Amino acid sequence: MKSLLITSVKIVLPESEYHQQVVDVLIENGTITQIAPSITNNDDQVEIVAGAGRILSAGFFDLHANFGEPGLETKEDLHTGAAAAAAGGFTGVAVMPNTEPAIQSRAEVALIVNVAKGLPVSIHPIGAISKKREGTELAELYDMQQNGAIAFSDGNRAVQQAGLMSRALLYAKGIQALIISHAEDASMAAGNKMNEGEMSTYLGMKGIPNLAESLMVSRDLYLAEYNEAPIHFSCISTVEAVDLIRRAKAKGQPVTCDVAAHQLVFTDAEVVGFDSNYKVSPPLRTAQDNAALLAGIKDGTIDAVVSQHSPQEIEYKRVEFHVAKNGIIALQTALPLLVRAGLTEEEIVNTLAVNPRKIVGLKQPKIAVGEPANLVLFDTVSTWTFDENTNKSKSANSPLFGEELTGKVTLIVNNSQIIKN
């Protein structure tokens, strides 16, 4: 790797001794070798990047991305997913088991770990809780953990059987693993396509009530408490879920949660044009839910923000809203959405870089001399256009496609590689 000198950059990393300081940072052979107010460079082999007006932080880590490999590589493979992640400032990504076959045994976990070797973005598989993600029989959790799975989830399917979820929590506790819950009661959601409320009534579409999420959050909190096990809720979207998790945390229960970046900005009002790029699971909710989610980030109830990157081929999106597949490509737009939502620099770093790694027990990157460089350089004021020229994903299913966005990643450094935008 070429040596890199980042000049006059503000470091934002709350646990770093350089937090909120403006410094020069020299990286050589993938390692941070100097940090000082000013570094003199006489080596023409050192690439200099101006950091003035920009922020240097630990690389972002996404707790919830969907790549297609194995089996669904036409949506996204590990290489294109990593390219999209790098462009969005992510140096690490946890991939959900929504593949064919599902990530449900050591074979699929080992495949992902091996294919991802050498990529500039570290890719970590999340194993399925149940075989084929069908919610009836526990998958091989221990074998998957031994081969590199960092947590367990049935991805975009909720575990409907309380008994199976209880056993999963108990078993995962025994091997010091984390269960990630997708909270949706299928009998309440009933296969409907958007949020239940004034907008669904206006559009004449059957809706999914907030209760579908809060019922499952409540159930899984009780199950986790009964088994004295930790639990993580991914992509919560409702006022009620925030309140339930806040109360659980207040009484000391080991629960964490995240929210998808688009849930902080978009509402069900976007669906009025029947643009299928706004069709996601859980569905876009109301402005009141948005406000509750933002408040949850501010008070620490919500620990992390995820992309919920869900690529889909054009034939699954350019169709009528009610038959379109769920999902938004979002690795490259997570930062701009958090800027649009009004998060501070420190909140962005905590929710995108620090807390996601804490949740799954990964080592925290440090900005210190002698440490391997795992960094992102970004700012919250520059603009760029998300279009076919800048999109790194195989898919293009984003309501932000063609828009000028605020909040730009300049580069990442990870695994002794520099990737520039």
Side-chain angles (χ1 to χ4, degrees), residues 5-9 11 18 21-25 34-40:
L5 176 61
I6 305 173
T7 61
S8 302
V9 69
I11 292 178
Y18 301 101
Q21 294 184 32
V22 176
V23 294
D24 290 0
V25 178
Q34 288 188 61
I35 301 175
S38 179
I39 296 174
T40 302

Side-chain angles (χ1 to χ4, degrees), residues 31 82 177 240 343 408:
T31 300
E240 295 84 356
L343 269 64
K408 185 176 181 180

Side-chain angles (χ1 to χ4, degrees), residues 185-203:
D185 185 301
S187 65
M188 290 298 301
N192 295 333
K193 308 304 179 184
M194 67 172 295
N195 180 58
E196 181 183 270
E198 292 180 8
M199 188 54 63
S200 65
T201 303
Y202 172 72
L203 296 175

